[in-house]
């Protein structure tokens, strides 16, 4: 008997990139710089959430109505963000758990299911804001109708999946380019706007002009994004960090620097939006600018023809960069809370459809002017969920049972809980105010369902839902205090009986899936290598599926030219193998679904091992020809040997 690691593999966050980035260990100044560079990246992916299209409307309105007076709100929000993202990074580095995995370890399955559902709703709301930003940018730059823009955003799913295949460092580089483009566009606009530097300095002093409280709350509520906390706690685990205290302490320090630089860049973008709005619209007497479209229309009269183009490019980059990070956050949440892993394309498509459907329905019914209200709705939903990410994060990083010497010190806990209290109070205020607005709108509509006004039904539903959410929030807050969980266990271990595991298994029948292509030589070579150990007893079963149109009608009775050529091909191979001393026979199958026919045949006539060929993953290849290897692997319990074919081989479906 022996014990080896095994069951805990599904606990690794973002499995495909976990520990994939090497961290150099050189000493000296140059070595420290190289180590810092290796750690730079995760916070840049996180930072795009702080400059997504959902933030633009509040920044534009704040600058247009109150000038530079609310710059201090942006600065305070940025300080809060740096603190919370640093805690998220420390959680991932020290415990090896992302925030979703930590919640799963701490709370009951019932509570975790609700937390997962809330997190999914928040990610869908984030995606809604990104969709709206992208379709507005396409409309502003190219005159594309919003509904056509929705169709374009549905297809960017596949572009982003292609980017994910490049690896973590290249993905981070793409995001950095997008962030730099956003920053560059607004840097030019700030110079064109010629803001009042003295007024900007005064704006960093905390003051609240009359009527600015709600806008200030909106700016703060739109800044800290819940999905970013899940995302950051997982992305930091993409670096290969040692388990000793010194390595973790060094990683925490470098990730703090990474967060400070990246989030200050996000602060610059948000501040630039507010400054441009203040210097153009507020100074020009246009104080009612509260939407992205209106700001775009007015910019040429203040800053010239180039300003709206830069504005639109920055908005498009913001929407696209946020889309990628939202996809990663969705994967982290599902795998962490449910231990459920699905194909990235399916995960992305589900999230995008959940956001696209309400966007398409509302735009179709109420017109293109409804996009601003949808943006507001997305921010309210995010506000409702934020507390469910912040409070557990502070609990987990303050707990010495799991953090050890890296637990947040008392002064840090005071700061963190103060930030949490501000966020909960202000976001709660936003939610309550929005619920009041919806109830009043229902009352103003005058709609009745029998004798019952719509406003009564709206009040019962909204207040009941908000009360249930508030009750859950209270439990999330007090549970780690009144009923603490034991220290989180390391990845599970399994017991293996080596005598059984190392017992030779018979390999008497080897299936060989052929394509009737030049790449068959590689597949046959692998199969012969296995059979030559005992050629007299091991039989090679040559499999090929004829998938011509005639097979739909005639099936196994098909007698067209291609079927005849395939049959001759298999017969020739069988004779050649017999001449070499191998036992071999052929099985010619028919059907327009090669994978399905192969699965059906092998279920009826199983083999001990199946040798197949694959051209490797390719987005266009997979979309056009399907993924036979994956289908066979998932539907059969037969061991498989996959021979990698040369990409120069003519295109065909993997078989």
């Amino acid at each position: 008997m022996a014990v080896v690691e095994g069951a805990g593999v599904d606990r690794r966050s973002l499995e495909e990139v976990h520990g994939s980035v090497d961290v150099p260990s050189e000493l000296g100044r140059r070595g420290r710089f190289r180590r810092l560079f290796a750690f730079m990246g995760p916070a840049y992916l996180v930072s795009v959430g702080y400059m997504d299209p959902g933030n633009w409307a509040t920044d534009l309105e704040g600058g247009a109505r109150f000038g530079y007076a609310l710059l201090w709100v942006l600065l305070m929000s940025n300080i809060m963000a740096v603190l919370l993202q640093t805690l998220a990074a420390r959680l991932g580095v020290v415990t090896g758990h992302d925030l979703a995995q930590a919640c799963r370890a701490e709370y009951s399955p019932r509570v975790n299911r609700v937390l997962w559902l809330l997190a999914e709703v928040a990610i869908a709301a984030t995606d809604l804001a990104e969709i709206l930003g992208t379709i507005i940018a396409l409309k502003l730059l190219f005159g594309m109708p919003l509904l056509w823009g929705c169709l374009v955003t549905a297809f960017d799913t596949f572009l982003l999946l292609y980017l994910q295949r490049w690896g973590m460092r290249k993905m981070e580089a793409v995001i950095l380019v997008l962030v730099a483009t956003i920053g560059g566009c607004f840097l030019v606009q700030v110079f064109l706007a010629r803001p009042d530097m003295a007024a900007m300095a005064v704006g960093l002093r905390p003051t609240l002009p009359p009527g600015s409280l709600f806008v200030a709350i909106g700016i703060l509520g739109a800044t800290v994004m819940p999905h970013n906390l899940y995302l950051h706690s997982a992305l930091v685990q993409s670096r290969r960090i040692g388990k000793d205290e010194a390595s973790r302490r060094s990683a925490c320090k470098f990730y703090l620097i990474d967060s400070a630089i990246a989030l200050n860049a996000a602060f610059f973008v948000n501040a630039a939006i507010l400054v441009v709005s203040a210097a153009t619209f507020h100074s020009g007497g246009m104080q009612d600018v509260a939407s992205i479209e209106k700001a775009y229309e007015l910019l040429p009269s203040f800053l010239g023809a180039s300003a709206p183009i830069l504005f639109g490019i920055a908005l498009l980059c913001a929407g696209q960069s946020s889309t990628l990070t939202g996809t990663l956050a969705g994967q982290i949440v599902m795998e962490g809370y449910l231990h459920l892993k699905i194909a990235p394309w399916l995960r992305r498509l589900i999230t995008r459809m959940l956001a696209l459907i309400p966007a398409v329905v509302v735009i179709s019914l109420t017109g293109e002017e409804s996009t601003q209200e949808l943006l507001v709705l997305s921010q309210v939903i995010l506000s409702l969920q934020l507390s469910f990410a912040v409070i557990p994060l502070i609990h987990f990083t303050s707990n010495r049972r799991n953090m050890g010497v890296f637990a947040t010190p008392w002064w840090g806990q005071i700061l963190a809980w103060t930030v949490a209290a501000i966020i909960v109070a202000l976001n709660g205020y936003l939610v309550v105010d929005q619920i009041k607005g919806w109830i009043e709108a229902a009352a103003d509509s005058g709609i009745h369902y029998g004798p019952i006004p719509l406003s009564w039904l709206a009040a019962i539903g909204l207040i009941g839902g908000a009360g249930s959410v508030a009750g859950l929030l209270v439990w999330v807050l007090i549970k780690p205090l009144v009923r603490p969980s034991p220290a989180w266990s390391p990845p599970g271990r399994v017991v293996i009986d080596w005598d059984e595991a190392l017992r030779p298994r018979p390999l008497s029948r080897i299936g060989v899936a052929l394509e009737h292509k030049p790449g068959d030589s590689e597949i046959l070579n692998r199969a012969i290598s296995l059979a030559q150990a005992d050629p007299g007893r091991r039989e090679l079963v040559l499999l090929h599926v004829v998938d011509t149109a005639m097979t739909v009608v005639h099936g196994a009775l098909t007698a067209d030219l291609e079927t005849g050529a395939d049959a001759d091909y298999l017969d020739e191979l069988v004779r050649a193998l017999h001449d070499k001393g191998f036992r071999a026979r052929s099985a010619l199958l028919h059907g327009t679904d090669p994978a399905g026919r192969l699965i059906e045949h092998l279920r009826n006539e199983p083999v001990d091992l199946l040798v197949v060929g694959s051209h490797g993953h390719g987005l266009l290849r997979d979309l056009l020809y399907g993924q036979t290897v994956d289908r066979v692997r998932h539907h059969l319990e037969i061991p498989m040997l996959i021979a990698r074919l040369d990409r120069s081989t003519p295109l065909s479906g993997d078989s």
Side-chain angles (χ1 to χ4, degrees), residues 630-643:
D630 284 342
R631 284 187 60 194
V632 174
R633 179 168 56 87
H634 291 149
H635 286 83
L636 295 175
E637 295 183 358
I638 298 173
M640 294 176 63
L641 173 61
I642 300 175

Side-chain angles (χ1 to χ4, degrees), residues 15 85 93 103 158 161 164 180 222 247 321 325 393 425 428 453 461 481 513 519 534 563 631:
E15 178 75 26
Q85 295 298 159
V93 169
C103 288
F158 302 104
L161 287 175
Q164 283 183 267
S247 297
S321 58
T325 58
L393 175 65
L481 301 175
D534 193 356
T563 302
R631 284 187 60 194

Side-chain angles (χ1 to χ4, degrees), residues 100-177:
Q101 292 170 332
C103 288
R104 180 182 175 90
E106 185 69 27
Y107 296 104
S108 68
R110 183 178 300 176
V111 171
N112 272 301
R113 282 193 291 270
V114 180
L115 292 178
W116 165 74
L117 183 61
L118 290 173
E120 292 287 1
V121 171
I123 290 170
T126 302
D127 208 41
L128 175 60
E130 293 152 4
I131 286 174
L132 293 172
T134 300
I135 63 177
I136 291 172
L138 292 173
K139 175 189 175 183
L140 299 180
L141 288 172
F142 308 111
M144 184 180 294
L146 293 187
L147 288 177
W148 280 102
C150 289
L151 183 63
V152 171
T153 62
F155 284 102
D156 73 5
T157 297
F158 302 104
L159 172 63
L160 295 171
L161 287 175
Y162 185 76
L163 291 178
Q164 283 183 267
R165 301 152 64 91
W166 289 1
M168 181 55 65
R169 291 301 272 173
K170 291 181 179 178
M171 194 191 318
E172 290 170 352
V174 170
I175 292 295
L176 182 59
V177 169

Side-chain angles (χ1 to χ4, degrees), residues 353-426:
M353 289 301 105
L354 288 175
L356 263 178
I357 290 172
V360 171
V361 170
V362 172
I363 292 172
S364 301
L365 294 178
T366 63
E368 298 189 350
E369 65 276 2
S370 61
T371 53
Q372 184 66 21
E373 287 73 19
L374 277 175
L375 269 176
V376 172
L377 175 61
S378 71
Q379 299 310 298
V380 172
I381 294 173
L382 289 173
S383 299
L384 191 65
Q385 204 277 330
L386 179 59
S387 304
F388 292 95
V390 171
I391 289 175
L393 175 65
I394 299 174
H395 269 309
F396 300 153
T397 52
S398 302
N399 189 341
R400 286 189 173 273
R401 291 196 313 276
N402 299 306
M403 296 291 291
V405 297
F406 294 96
T408 308
W410 64 269
W411 56 268
Q413 293 184 41
I414 292 175
L415 286 176
W417 284 115
T418 301
V419 168
I422 293 173
I423 289 174
V424 171
L426 295 186

Side-chain angles (χ1 to χ4, degrees), residues 334-369:
M334 178 171 286
E335 293 179 14
Y337 276 116
L338 305 182
H339 279 188
L340 176 63
K341 186 171 184 175
I342 63 176
W345 68 268
L346 181 59
R347 162 81 234 182
R348 181 75 196 112
L349 201 58
I350 292 172
T351 303
R352 179 48 54 102
M353 289 301 105
L354 288 175
L356 263 178
I357 290 172
V360 171
V361 170
V362 172
I363 292 172
S364 301
L365 294 178
T366 63
E368 298 189 350
E369 65 276 2

